[in-house]
Amino acid sequence: MASAVWYIIVNPCSGSGKTISEWEKAKEELDKEGVDYIYVMTEKPSHATELAYAAAKSGHRKFV
């Protein structure tokens, strides 16, 4: 059965480091709106692909 939870992959190094501060703002909004999500941070090149593959394999279907 597919998960209804949003699976969010965040690259904290993207945008010359601006992404992490933008993510904090986005997280606040998601929480305020009651969006069901989990997030993970990338740690190395190609890590987002690995994370997405593993999440899809475990049933996640809604990605950001």
Side-chain angles (χ1 to χ4, degrees):
M1 184 163 127
S3 174
V5 176
W6 284 96
Y7 191 88
I8 303 172
I9 300 172
V10 180
N11 179 345
C13 297
S14 66
S16 299
K18 286 175 61 176
T19 296
I20 197 66
S21 65
E22 292 298 319
W23 166 241
E24 292 302 322
K25 295 174 196 173
K27 194 167 87 161
E28 285 179 26
E29 289 298 316
L30 291 167
D31 291 340
K32 186 167 66 172
E33 294 296 323
V35 175
D36 197 10
Y37 70 95
I38 59 171
Y39 73 95
V40 292
M41 298 280 183
T42 60
E43 298 174 355
K44 59 186 178 183
S46 300
H47 195 207
T49 303
E50 294 171 26
L51 293 168
Y53 179 80
K57 193 172 178 181
S58 69
H60 289 280
R61 296 295 180 261
K62 296 169 72 175
F63 291 87
V64 175

